[in-house]
Amino acid sequence: MGKEIIMAENAGFCFGVKRAVDTTININNKDNKSNIYTFGPLVHNKDVTNFLKEKGINEVDTSTLDKLKKGDTVIIRSHGVSPNIMKLIEKTGANIVDATCPYVSAIHKKIKKYYELGYQIIIVGDENHPEVIGSNGYCNNSAIITKDGSNIKNLHNKICIVAQTTEKKANLDKVQDIVTKLCDNAVIFNTICNATKERQKSAEETAKIVDVMIVVGSKSSSNTTKLYEISKKNCENSIFVENSSEIPDWIFKNNNIKKIGITAGASTPDWIINEVIDKLLSFE
Ligand code: SF4
């Protein structure tokens, strides 16, 4: 008897990543004369970056900006960049296409506004993440960056708190508790994006009702790794695959496996998910 495949309700590319990838592909389709680059890897997914390389779309970063020429195009990925990086790219004479996710741009606007009003900015997130590095540039790199508030001591009397879009709400709550005890004038923005939360909730719900859960995406993607951890907690038979070639044979051979769940990180494209589904269906 065939196996039932259950796709998690929210899985795969989020709005911001899809927009950045579609923008890049559309530009490449329209313009095959000039060089097209992405500033850093467009998404944390080797299949996508290899696909772009095959199309002649390469990466640049701050150390390789000198290879840009007037007329080249540089695409800013969904994580965004700081105003200083934007200026450095502008100086090269290349055309800039800004595919910063609108949710990230909204954080930039808040940081800039409150910094100019004299507020100390606190960003709840990972100091090494490109999104946080870019956001910090909107307050002249003066933000206090914290995961849980443990490095917050003496505070300014006016504080503005924002969060990395993929941060856990519990961390924002912890920082809010600490700050509001130390300062009377704190404005707090919950800038956590729903896409992450929705994917995690769907992965959990699906993992609970299947015999095997397949998590599709790059091992270097933190949001996909988190989906695997959640799946594993709710379904012991959870596996993490980058693409269809990594699906193990035992899934097909074990007759006790009747329901197979699938989820995928926000940086996993549909075509990789579809290949996984096709491979599972081919063994029906
Ligand atoms: S996770 Fe949210 S904020 Fe980040 S790119 Fe996707 S939609 Fe935008």
Side-chain angles (χ1 to χ4, degrees), residues 23 27 35-39 60 65 68-77 80-100 138:
T23 303
I27 289 172
N35 296 319
I36 299 169
Y37 296 92
T38 62
F39 190 79
V60 279
L65 280 181
L68 293 176
K69 287 184 231 56
K70 201 168 187 322
D72 289 346
T73 297
V74 180
I75 293 147
I76 307 295
R77 58 186 170 175
V81 294
S82 70
N84 282 345
I85 296 288
M86 202 61 120
K87 275 188 205 134
L88 285 178
I89 304 173
E90 273 164 13
K91 270 196 193 156
T92 67
N95 303 316
I96 299 176
V97 176
D98 189 358
T100 305
Y138 283 81

PDB file of all heavy atoms in Angstrom, residues 23 27 35-39 60 65 68-77 80-100 138:
ATOM      1  N   THR A  23      13.205  38.538  -7.793  1.00  0.00           N
ATOM      2  CA  THR A  23      13.776  39.781  -8.329  1.00  0.00           C
ATOM      3  C   THR A  23      15.059  39.474  -9.084  1.00  0.00           C
ATOM      4  O   THR A  23      15.276  39.942 -10.207  1.00  0.00           O
ATOM      5  CB  THR A  23      14.092  40.764  -7.160  1.00  0.00           C
ATOM      6  OG1 THR A  23      12.892  40.986  -6.433  1.00  0.00           O
ATOM      7  CG2 THR A  23      14.648  42.078  -7.649  1.00  0.00           C
ATOM      8  N   ILE A  27      15.607  39.934 -13.138  1.00  0.00           N
ATOM      9  CA  ILE A  27      16.620  40.853 -13.673  1.00  0.00           C
ATOM     10  C   ILE A  27      17.523  40.094 -14.638  1.00  0.00           C
ATOM     11  O   ILE A  27      17.852  40.565 -15.724  1.00  0.00           O
ATOM     12  CB  ILE A  27      17.442  41.487 -12.530  1.00  0.00           C
ATOM     13  CG1 ILE A  27      16.568  42.477 -11.779  1.00  0.00           C
ATOM     14  CG2 ILE A  27      18.704  42.179 -13.057  1.00  0.00           C
ATOM     15  CD1 ILE A  27      17.178  43.011 -10.534  1.00  0.00           C
ATOM     16  N   ASN A  35      26.934  42.281 -15.923  1.00  0.00           N
ATOM     17  CA  ASN A  35      27.198  41.315 -14.848  1.00  0.00           C
ATOM     18  C   ASN A  35      26.240  41.554 -13.686  1.00  0.00           C
ATOM     19  O   ASN A  35      26.018  42.698 -13.283  1.00  0.00           O
ATOM     20  CB  ASN A  35      28.634  41.490 -14.336  1.00  0.00           C
ATOM     21  CG  ASN A  35      29.632  41.165 -15.419  1.00  0.00           C
ATOM     22  OD1 ASN A  35      29.450  40.213 -16.166  1.00  0.00           O
ATOM     23  ND2 ASN A  35      30.684  41.974 -15.509  1.00  0.00           N
ATOM     24  N   ILE A  36      25.706  40.470 -13.179  1.00  0.00           N
ATOM     25  CA  ILE A  36      24.788  40.586 -12.041  1.00  0.00           C
ATOM     26  C   ILE A  36      25.416  39.887 -10.833  1.00  0.00           C
ATOM     27  O   ILE A  36      25.904  38.757 -10.942  1.00  0.00           O
ATOM     28  CB  ILE A  36      23.414  39.976 -12.389  1.00  0.00           C
ATOM     29  CG1 ILE A  36      22.816  40.740 -13.572  1.00  0.00           C
ATOM     30  CG2 ILE A  36      22.461  40.022 -11.197  1.00  0.00           C
ATOM     31  CD1 ILE A  36      21.612  40.100 -14.184  1.00  0.00           C
ATOM     32  N   TYR A  37      25.399  40.601  -9.705  1.00  0.00           N
ATOM     33  CA  TYR A  37      25.976  40.054  -8.465  1.00  0.00           C
ATOM     34  C   TYR A  37      24.946  40.143  -7.344  1.00  0.00           C
ATOM     35  O   TYR A  37      24.068  40.999  -7.373  1.00  0.00           O
ATOM     36  CB  TYR A  37      27.199  40.876  -8.031  1.00  0.00           C
ATOM     37  CG  TYR A  37      28.360  40.825  -8.988  1.00  0.00           C
ATOM     38  CD1 TYR A  37      28.493  41.792  -9.987  1.00  0.00           C
ATOM     39  CD2 TYR A  37      29.320  39.830  -8.888  1.00  0.00           C
ATOM     40  CE1 TYR A  37      29.573  41.748 -10.876  1.00  0.00           C
ATOM     41  CE2 TYR A  37      30.400  39.787  -9.765  1.00  0.00           C
ATOM     42  CZ  TYR A  37      30.515  40.744 -10.753  1.00  0.00           C
ATOM     43  OH  TYR A  37      31.577  40.700 -11.609  1.00  0.00           O
ATOM     44  N   THR A  38      25.102  39.278  -6.359  1.00  0.00           N
ATOM     45  CA  THR A  38      24.340  39.457  -5.117  1.00  0.00           C
ATOM     46  C   THR A  38      25.345  39.872  -4.054  1.00  0.00           C
ATOM     47  O   THR A  38      26.497  39.433  -4.086  1.00  0.00           O
ATOM     48  CB  THR A  38      23.618  38.163  -4.689  1.00  0.00           C
ATOM     49  OG1 THR A  38      24.599  37.143  -4.422  1.00  0.00           O
ATOM     50  CG2 THR A  38      22.656  37.685  -5.749  1.00  0.00           C
ATOM     51  N   PHE A  39      24.918  40.720  -3.125  1.00  0.00           N
ATOM     52  CA  PHE A  39      25.826  41.112  -2.049  1.00  0.00           C
ATOM     53  C   PHE A  39      25.721  40.056  -0.953  1.00  0.00           C
ATOM     54  O   PHE A  39      24.761  40.025  -0.187  1.00  0.00           O
ATOM     55  CB  PHE A  39      25.480  42.517  -1.524  1.00  0.00           C
ATOM     56  CG  PHE A  39      26.543  43.041  -0.601  1.00  0.00           C
ATOM     57  CD1 PHE A  39      27.713  43.571  -1.113  1.00  0.00           C
ATOM     58  CD2 PHE A  39      26.404  42.941   0.769  1.00  0.00           C
ATOM     59  CE1 PHE A  39      28.726  44.013  -0.266  1.00  0.00           C
ATOM     60  CE2 PHE A  39      27.409  43.374   1.623  1.00  0.00           C
ATOM     61  CZ  PHE A  39      28.568  43.905   1.100  1.00  0.00           C
ATOM     62  N   VAL A  60      29.397  39.192  -4.410  1.00  0.00           N
ATOM     63  CA  VAL A  60      30.468  40.101  -3.986  1.00  0.00           C
ATOM     64  C   VAL A  60      30.275  40.362  -2.502  1.00  0.00           C
ATOM     65  O   VAL A  60      29.183  40.149  -1.950  1.00  0.00           O
ATOM     66  CB  VAL A  60      30.453  41.483  -4.707  1.00  0.00           C
ATOM     67  CG1 VAL A  60      31.090  41.439  -6.052  1.00  0.00           C
ATOM     68  CG2 VAL A  60      29.075  42.087  -4.738  1.00  0.00           C
ATOM     69  N   LEU A  65      34.548  44.288  -3.577  1.00  0.00           N
ATOM     70  CA  LEU A  65      33.771  45.327  -4.284  1.00  0.00           C
ATOM     71  C   LEU A  65      34.534  45.915  -5.471  1.00  0.00           C
ATOM     72  O   LEU A  65      33.915  46.411  -6.419  1.00  0.00           O
ATOM     73  CB  LEU A  65      33.405  46.466  -3.316  1.00  0.00           C
ATOM     74  CG  LEU A  65      32.214  46.226  -2.388  1.00  0.00           C
ATOM     75  CD1 LEU A  65      31.974  47.444  -1.517  1.00  0.00           C
ATOM     76  CD2 LEU A  65      30.951  45.893  -3.188  1.00  0.00           C
ATOM     77  N   LEU A  68      33.609  45.289  -9.107  1.00  0.00           N
ATOM     78  CA  LEU A  68      32.398  45.840  -9.741  1.00  0.00           C
ATOM     79  C   LEU A  68      32.740  46.951 -10.723  1.00  0.00           C
ATOM     80  O   LEU A  68      33.621  47.769 -10.461  1.00  0.00           O
ATOM     81  CB  LEU A  68      31.461  46.416  -8.675  1.00  0.00           C
ATOM     82  CG  LEU A  68      30.822  45.414  -7.723  1.00  0.00           C
ATOM     83  CD1 LEU A  68      29.997  46.141  -6.675  1.00  0.00           C
ATOM     84  CD2 LEU A  68      29.950  44.435  -8.493  1.00  0.00           C
ATOM     85  N   LYS A  69      32.006  46.950 -11.830  1.00  0.00           N
ATOM     86  CA  LYS A  69      32.229  48.006 -12.827  1.00  0.00           C
ATOM     87  C   LYS A  69      30.932  48.768 -13.041  1.00  0.00           C
ATOM     88  O   LYS A  69      29.845  48.242 -12.740  1.00  0.00           O
ATOM     89  CB  LYS A  69      32.651  47.380 -14.162  1.00  0.00           C
ATOM     90  CG  LYS A  69      34.067  46.845 -14.143  1.00  0.00           C
ATOM     91  CD  LYS A  69      34.418  46.342 -15.538  1.00  0.00           C
ATOM     92  CE  LYS A  69      34.978  44.944 -15.558  1.00  0.00           C
ATOM     93  NZ  LYS A  69      34.230  43.874 -14.985  1.00  0.00           N
ATOM     94  N   LYS A  70      31.063  49.984 -13.560  1.00  0.00           N
ATOM     95  CA  LYS A  70      29.884  50.796 -13.895  1.00  0.00           C
ATOM     96  C   LYS A  70      28.985  49.957 -14.812  1.00  0.00           C
ATOM     97  O   LYS A  70      29.494  49.294 -15.738  1.00  0.00           O
ATOM     98  CB  LYS A  70      30.354  52.055 -14.629  1.00  0.00           C
ATOM     99  CG  LYS A  70      29.368  53.174 -14.598  1.00  0.00           C
ATOM    100  CD  LYS A  70      30.067  54.441 -15.100  1.00  0.00           C
ATOM    101  CE  LYS A  70      29.280  55.679 -14.991  1.00  0.00           C
ATOM    102  NZ  LYS A  70      27.963  55.817 -15.202  1.00  0.00           N
ATOM    103  N   GLY A  71      27.704  49.952 -14.534  1.00  0.00           N
ATOM    104  CA  GLY A  71      26.789  49.185 -15.378  1.00  0.00           C
ATOM    105  C   GLY A  71      26.496  47.789 -14.836  1.00  0.00           C
ATOM    106  O   GLY A  71      25.516  47.172 -15.238  1.00  0.00           O
ATOM    107  N   ASP A  72      27.348  47.277 -13.925  1.00  0.00           N
ATOM    108  CA  ASP A  72      27.027  46.000 -13.287  1.00  0.00           C
ATOM    109  C   ASP A  72      25.815  46.199 -12.359  1.00  0.00           C
ATOM    110  O   ASP A  72      25.506  47.333 -11.976  1.00  0.00           O
ATOM    111  CB  ASP A  72      28.204  45.497 -12.433  1.00  0.00           C
ATOM    112  CG  ASP A  72      29.377  45.016 -13.277  1.00  0.00           C
ATOM    113  OD1 ASP A  72      29.174  44.821 -14.489  1.00  0.00           O
ATOM    114  OD2 ASP A  72      30.469  44.842 -12.715  1.00  0.00           O
ATOM    115  N   THR A  73      25.184  45.110 -11.994  1.00  0.00           N
ATOM    116  CA  THR A  73      24.043  45.209 -11.071  1.00  0.00           C
ATOM    117  C   THR A  73      24.353  44.434  -9.795  1.00  0.00           C
ATOM    118  O   THR A  73      24.868  43.313  -9.864  1.00  0.00           O
ATOM    119  CB  THR A  73      22.770  44.635 -11.734  1.00  0.00           C
ATOM    120  OG1 THR A  73      22.470  45.431 -12.880  1.00  0.00           O
ATOM    121  CG2 THR A  73      21.574  44.643 -10.797  1.00  0.00           C
ATOM    122  N   VAL A  74      24.051  45.060  -8.654  1.00  0.00           N
ATOM    123  CA  VAL A  74      24.246  44.380  -7.366  1.00  0.00           C
ATOM    124  C   VAL A  74      22.892  44.276  -6.673  1.00  0.00           C
ATOM    125  O   VAL A  74      22.196  45.286  -6.514  1.00  0.00           O
ATOM    126  CB  VAL A  74      25.220  45.160  -6.453  1.00  0.00           C
ATOM    127  CG1 VAL A  74      25.403  44.419  -5.127  1.00  0.00           C
ATOM    128  CG2 VAL A  74      26.556  45.338  -7.127  1.00  0.00           C
ATOM    129  N   ILE A  75      22.536  43.075  -6.285  1.00  0.00           N
ATOM    130  CA  ILE A  75      21.256  42.875  -5.592  1.00  0.00           C
ATOM    131  C   ILE A  75      21.500  42.757  -4.093  1.00  0.00           C
ATOM    132  O   ILE A  75      22.339  41.956  -3.645  1.00  0.00           O
ATOM    133  CB  ILE A  75      20.539  41.633  -6.144  1.00  0.00           C
ATOM    134  CG1 ILE A  75      20.149  41.937  -7.594  1.00  0.00           C
ATOM    135  CG2 ILE A  75      19.279  41.299  -5.339  1.00  0.00           C
ATOM    136  CD1 ILE A  75      20.159  40.785  -8.493  1.00  0.00           C
ATOM    137  N   ILE A  76      20.789  43.579  -3.337  1.00  0.00           N
ATOM    138  CA  ILE A  76      20.892  43.518  -1.874  1.00  0.00           C
ATOM    139  C   ILE A  76      19.898  42.458  -1.406  1.00  0.00           C
ATOM    140  O   ILE A  76      18.710  42.524  -1.721  1.00  0.00           O
ATOM    141  CB  ILE A  76      20.537  44.881  -1.226  1.00  0.00           C
ATOM    142  CG1 ILE A  76      21.363  46.028  -1.835  1.00  0.00           C
ATOM    143  CG2 ILE A  76      20.672  44.817   0.299  1.00  0.00           C
ATOM    144  CD1 ILE A  76      22.841  45.968  -1.599  1.00  0.00           C
ATOM    145  N   ARG A  77      20.364  41.482  -0.654  1.00  0.00           N
ATOM    146  CA  ARG A  77      19.497  40.368  -0.236  1.00  0.00           C
ATOM    147  C   ARG A  77      18.498  40.800   0.844  1.00  0.00           C
ATOM    148  O   ARG A  77      18.581  41.908   1.377  1.00  0.00           O
ATOM    149  CB  ARG A  77      20.358  39.210   0.253  1.00  0.00           C
ATOM    150  CG  ARG A  77      21.262  39.605   1.390  1.00  0.00           C
ATOM    151  CD  ARG A  77      22.196  38.488   1.747  1.00  0.00           C
ATOM    152  NE  ARG A  77      23.208  38.965   2.673  1.00  0.00           N
ATOM    153  CZ  ARG A  77      24.105  38.190   3.228  1.00  0.00           C
ATOM    154  NH1 ARG A  77      24.126  36.906   2.968  1.00  0.00           N
ATOM    155  NH2 ARG A  77      24.995  38.682   4.061  1.00  0.00           N
ATOM    156  N   GLY A  80      19.206  42.861   4.131  1.00  0.00           N
ATOM    157  CA  GLY A  80      19.529  44.289   4.112  1.00  0.00           C
ATOM    158  C   GLY A  80      20.995  44.553   4.443  1.00  0.00           C
ATOM    159  O   GLY A  80      21.732  43.634   4.827  1.00  0.00           O
ATOM    160  N   VAL A  81      21.410  45.794   4.262  1.00  0.00           N
ATOM    161  CA  VAL A  81      22.778  46.202   4.610  1.00  0.00           C
ATOM    162  C   VAL A  81      22.737  47.563   5.305  1.00  0.00           C
ATOM    163  O   VAL A  81      21.724  48.260   5.254  1.00  0.00           O
ATOM    164  CB  VAL A  81      23.713  46.320   3.366  1.00  0.00           C
ATOM    165  CG1 VAL A  81      23.958  44.986   2.709  1.00  0.00           C
ATOM    166  CG2 VAL A  81      23.165  47.337   2.356  1.00  0.00           C
ATOM    167  N   SER A  82      23.848  47.951   5.908  1.00  0.00           N
ATOM    168  CA  SER A  82      23.913  49.247   6.589  1.00  0.00           C
ATOM    169  C   SER A  82      24.029  50.368   5.559  1.00  0.00           C
ATOM    170  O   SER A  82      24.445  50.130   4.413  1.00  0.00           O
ATOM    171  CB  SER A  82      25.138  49.272   7.504  1.00  0.00           C
ATOM    172  OG  SER A  82      26.299  49.305   6.706  1.00  0.00           O
ATOM    173  N   PRO A  83      23.711  51.622   5.954  1.00  0.00           N
ATOM    174  CA  PRO A  83      23.852  52.746   5.013  1.00  0.00           C
ATOM    175  C   PRO A  83      25.296  52.887   4.520  1.00  0.00           C
ATOM    176  O   PRO A  83      25.517  53.259   3.375  1.00  0.00           O
ATOM    177  CB  PRO A  83      23.432  53.970   5.837  1.00  0.00           C
ATOM    178  CG  PRO A  83      22.658  53.433   6.983  1.00  0.00           C
ATOM    179  CD  PRO A  83      23.143  52.050   7.247  1.00  0.00           C
ATOM    180  N   ASN A  84      26.271  52.588   5.369  1.00  0.00           N
ATOM    181  CA  ASN A  84      27.677  52.711   4.937  1.00  0.00           C
ATOM    182  C   ASN A  84      28.016  51.728   3.825  1.00  0.00           C
ATOM    183  O   ASN A  84      28.703  52.061   2.870  1.00  0.00           O
ATOM    184  CB  ASN A  84      28.640  52.476   6.113  1.00  0.00           C
ATOM    185  CG  ASN A  84      28.697  53.704   6.990  1.00  0.00           C
ATOM    186  OD1 ASN A  84      28.261  54.778   6.584  1.00  0.00           O
ATOM    187  ND2 ASN A  84      29.221  53.540   8.191  1.00  0.00           N
ATOM    188  N   ILE A  85      27.529  50.516   3.951  1.00  0.00           N
ATOM    189  CA  ILE A  85      27.786  49.514   2.902  1.00  0.00           C
ATOM    190  C   ILE A  85      27.095  49.954   1.616  1.00  0.00           C
ATOM    191  O   ILE A  85      27.644  49.867   0.527  1.00  0.00           O
ATOM    192  CB  ILE A  85      27.276  48.110   3.338  1.00  0.00           C
ATOM    193  CG1 ILE A  85      28.054  47.605   4.555  1.00  0.00           C
ATOM    194  CG2 ILE A  85      27.323  47.115   2.181  1.00  0.00           C
ATOM    195  CD1 ILE A  85      29.487  47.186   4.271  1.00  0.00           C
ATOM    196  N   MET A  86      25.885  50.494   1.763  1.00  0.00           N
ATOM    197  CA  MET A  86      25.146  50.963   0.588  1.00  0.00           C
ATOM    198  C   MET A  86      25.971  52.040  -0.132  1.00  0.00           C
ATOM    199  O   MET A  86      26.094  52.015  -1.349  1.00  0.00           O
ATOM    200  CB  MET A  86      23.801  51.526   1.069  1.00  0.00           C
ATOM    201  CG  MET A  86      22.734  51.567   0.055  1.00  0.00           C
ATOM    202  SD  MET A  86      22.322  49.934  -0.589  1.00  0.00           S
ATOM    203  CE  MET A  86      20.635  49.801  -0.162  1.00  0.00           C
ATOM    204  N   LYS A  87      26.569  52.956   0.650  1.00  0.00           N
ATOM    205  CA  LYS A  87      27.391  54.030   0.046  1.00  0.00           C
ATOM    206  C   LYS A  87      28.600  53.444  -0.678  1.00  0.00           C
ATOM    207  O   LYS A  87      28.951  53.886  -1.768  1.00  0.00           O
ATOM    208  CB  LYS A  87      27.861  55.001   1.139  1.00  0.00           C
ATOM    209  CG  LYS A  87      26.821  56.057   1.439  1.00  0.00           C
ATOM    210  CD  LYS A  87      27.372  57.111   2.367  1.00  0.00           C
ATOM    211  CE  LYS A  87      26.227  57.767   3.112  1.00  0.00           C
ATOM    212  NZ  LYS A  87      26.442  57.909   4.532  1.00  0.00           N
ATOM    213  N   LEU A  88      29.234  52.451  -0.062  1.00  0.00           N
ATOM    214  CA  LEU A  88      30.414  51.837  -0.697  1.00  0.00           C
ATOM    215  C   LEU A  88      30.024  51.197  -2.037  1.00  0.00           C
ATOM    216  O   LEU A  88      30.759  51.295  -3.013  1.00  0.00           O
ATOM    217  CB  LEU A  88      31.013  50.747   0.214  1.00  0.00           C
ATOM    218  CG  LEU A  88      31.796  51.215   1.437  1.00  0.00           C
ATOM    219  CD1 LEU A  88      32.266  50.005   2.256  1.00  0.00           C
ATOM    220  CD2 LEU A  88      33.001  52.041   1.010  1.00  0.00           C
ATOM    221  N   ILE A  89      28.867  50.573  -2.064  1.00  0.00           N
ATOM    222  CA  ILE A  89      28.432  49.942  -3.325  1.00  0.00           C
ATOM    223  C   ILE A  89      28.109  51.032  -4.354  1.00  0.00           C
ATOM    224  O   ILE A  89      28.488  50.929  -5.519  1.00  0.00           O
ATOM    225  CB  ILE A  89      27.225  48.998  -3.109  1.00  0.00           C
ATOM    226  CG1 ILE A  89      27.546  47.925  -2.059  1.00  0.00           C
ATOM    227  CG2 ILE A  89      26.824  48.319  -4.428  1.00  0.00           C
ATOM    228  CD1 ILE A  89      26.370  47.057  -1.650  1.00  0.00           C
ATOM    229  N   GLU A  90      27.430  52.099  -3.880  1.00  0.00           N
ATOM    230  CA  GLU A  90      27.087  53.208  -4.796  1.00  0.00           C
ATOM    231  C   GLU A  90      28.332  53.772  -5.469  1.00  0.00           C
ATOM    232  O   GLU A  90      28.337  54.074  -6.655  1.00  0.00           O
ATOM    233  CB  GLU A  90      26.384  54.327  -4.014  1.00  0.00           C
ATOM    234  CG  GLU A  90      24.885  54.118  -3.902  1.00  0.00           C
ATOM    235  CD  GLU A  90      24.264  54.996  -2.813  1.00  0.00           C
ATOM    236  OE1 GLU A  90      24.940  55.927  -2.312  1.00  0.00           O
ATOM    237  OE2 GLU A  90      23.124  54.717  -2.451  1.00  0.00           O
ATOM    238  N   LYS A  91      29.406  53.901  -4.678  1.00  0.00           N
ATOM    239  CA  LYS A  91      30.660  54.487  -5.203  1.00  0.00           C
ATOM    240  C   LYS A  91      31.236  53.694  -6.378  1.00  0.00           C
ATOM    241  O   LYS A  91      31.977  54.236  -7.185  1.00  0.00           O
ATOM    242  CB  LYS A  91      31.710  54.506  -4.085  1.00  0.00           C
ATOM    243  CG  LYS A  91      31.695  55.752  -3.258  1.00  0.00           C
ATOM    244  CD  LYS A  91      32.993  55.826  -2.470  1.00  0.00           C
ATOM    245  CE  LYS A  91      32.887  56.880  -1.389  1.00  0.00           C
ATOM    246  NZ  LYS A  91      33.822  56.609  -0.292  1.00  0.00           N
ATOM    247  N   THR A  92      30.923  52.417  -6.462  1.00  0.00           N
ATOM    248  CA  THR A  92      31.483  51.594  -7.535  1.00  0.00           C
ATOM    249  C   THR A  92      30.834  51.935  -8.887  1.00  0.00           C
ATOM    250  O   THR A  92      31.336  51.539  -9.929  1.00  0.00           O
ATOM    251  CB  THR A  92      31.259  50.095  -7.277  1.00  0.00           C
ATOM    252  OG1 THR A  92      29.852  49.828  -7.359  1.00  0.00           O
ATOM    253  CG2 THR A  92      31.805  49.652  -5.943  1.00  0.00           C
ATOM    254  N   GLY A  93      29.686  52.630  -8.848  1.00  0.00           N
ATOM    255  CA  GLY A  93      28.991  52.972 -10.091  1.00  0.00           C
ATOM    256  C   GLY A  93      28.043  51.861 -10.547  1.00  0.00           C
ATOM    257  O   GLY A  93      27.369  51.995 -11.569  1.00  0.00           O
ATOM    258  N   ALA A  94      28.000  50.775  -9.797  1.00  0.00           N
ATOM    259  CA  ALA A  94      27.092  49.680 -10.168  1.00  0.00           C
ATOM    260  C   ALA A  94      25.643  50.082  -9.861  1.00  0.00           C
ATOM    261  O   ALA A  94      25.396  50.936  -9.001  1.00  0.00           O
ATOM    262  CB  ALA A  94      27.461  48.423  -9.391  1.00  0.00           C
ATOM    263  N   ASN A  95      24.707  49.465 -10.573  1.00  0.00           N
ATOM    264  CA  ASN A  95      23.287  49.711 -10.286  1.00  0.00           C
ATOM    265  C   ASN A  95      22.919  48.867  -9.066  1.00  0.00           C
ATOM    266  O   ASN A  95      23.296  47.691  -9.002  1.00  0.00           O
ATOM    267  CB  ASN A  95      22.394  49.246 -11.442  1.00  0.00           C
ATOM    268  CG  ASN A  95      22.785  49.909 -12.732  1.00  0.00           C
ATOM    269  OD1 ASN A  95      23.030  51.102 -12.755  1.00  0.00           O
ATOM    270  ND2 ASN A  95      22.873  49.120 -13.800  1.00  0.00           N
ATOM    271  N   ILE A  96      22.168  49.475  -8.155  1.00  0.00           N
ATOM    272  CA  ILE A  96      21.787  48.724  -6.953  1.00  0.00           C
ATOM    273  C   ILE A  96      20.304  48.367  -7.029  1.00  0.00           C
ATOM    274  O   ILE A  96      19.464  49.230  -7.290  1.00  0.00           O
ATOM    275  CB  ILE A  96      22.059  49.547  -5.680  1.00  0.00           C
ATOM    276  CG1 ILE A  96      23.557  49.868  -5.590  1.00  0.00           C
ATOM    277  CG2 ILE A  96      21.588  48.798  -4.434  1.00  0.00           C
ATOM    278  CD1 ILE A  96      23.941  50.751  -4.429  1.00  0.00           C
ATOM    279  N   VAL A  97      20.001  47.104  -6.815  1.00  0.00           N
ATOM    280  CA  VAL A  97      18.603  46.683  -6.705  1.00  0.00           C
ATOM    281  C   VAL A  97      18.411  46.223  -5.261  1.00  0.00           C
ATOM    282  O   VAL A  97      19.036  45.266  -4.814  1.00  0.00           O
ATOM    283  CB  VAL A  97      18.283  45.539  -7.696  1.00  0.00           C
ATOM    284  CG1 VAL A  97      16.858  45.049  -7.495  1.00  0.00           C
ATOM    285  CG2 VAL A  97      18.496  46.016  -9.118  1.00  0.00           C
ATOM    286  N   ASP A  98      17.574  46.967  -4.561  1.00  0.00           N
ATOM    287  CA  ASP A  98      17.442  46.698  -3.125  1.00  0.00           C
ATOM    288  C   ASP A  98      16.305  45.703  -2.874  1.00  0.00           C
ATOM    289  O   ASP A  98      15.140  46.058  -2.944  1.00  0.00           O
ATOM    290  CB  ASP A  98      17.172  48.035  -2.401  1.00  0.00           C
ATOM    291  CG  ASP A  98      17.240  47.862  -0.896  1.00  0.00           C
ATOM    292  OD1 ASP A  98      17.461  46.721  -0.432  1.00  0.00           O
ATOM    293  OD2 ASP A  98      17.071  48.876  -0.183  1.00  0.00           O
ATOM    294  N   ALA A  99      16.662  44.452  -2.568  1.00  0.00           N
ATOM    295  CA  ALA A  99      15.635  43.435  -2.277  1.00  0.00           C
ATOM    296  C   ALA A  99      15.553  43.182  -0.763  1.00  0.00           C
ATOM    297  O   ALA A  99      15.152  42.099  -0.334  1.00  0.00           O
ATOM    298  CB  ALA A  99      15.943  42.150  -3.041  1.00  0.00           C
ATOM    299  N   THR A 100      15.908  44.197   0.018  1.00  0.00           N
ATOM    300  CA  THR A 100      15.759  44.065   1.476  1.00  0.00           C
ATOM    301  C   THR A 100      14.294  43.762   1.786  1.00  0.00           C
ATOM    302  O   THR A 100      13.395  44.425   1.249  1.00  0.00           O
ATOM    303  CB  THR A 100      16.151  45.400   2.179  1.00  0.00           C
ATOM    304  OG1 THR A 100      17.463  45.759   1.785  1.00  0.00           O
ATOM    305  CG2 THR A 100      16.079  45.276   3.689  1.00  0.00           C
ATOM    306  N   TYR A 138      22.137  51.680  11.122  1.00  0.00           N
ATOM    307  CA  TYR A 138      21.171  52.788  11.100  1.00  0.00           C
ATOM    308  C   TYR A 138      21.213  53.631  12.372  1.00  0.00           C
ATOM    309  O   TYR A 138      20.506  54.626  12.489  1.00  0.00           O
ATOM    310  CB  TYR A 138      19.751  52.261  10.814  1.00  0.00           C
ATOM    311  CG  TYR A 138      19.610  51.954   9.342  1.00  0.00           C
ATOM    312  CD1 TYR A 138      20.099  50.759   8.819  1.00  0.00           C
ATOM    313  CD2 TYR A 138      19.072  52.888   8.464  1.00  0.00           C
ATOM    314  CE1 TYR A 138      20.039  50.488   7.463  1.00  0.00           C
ATOM    315  CE2 TYR A 138      19.009  52.639   7.108  1.00  0.00           C
ATOM    316  CZ  TYR A 138      19.493  51.438   6.612  1.00  0.00           C
ATOM    317  OH  TYR A 138      19.450  51.203   5.259  1.00  0.00           O
TER     318      TYR A 138
END
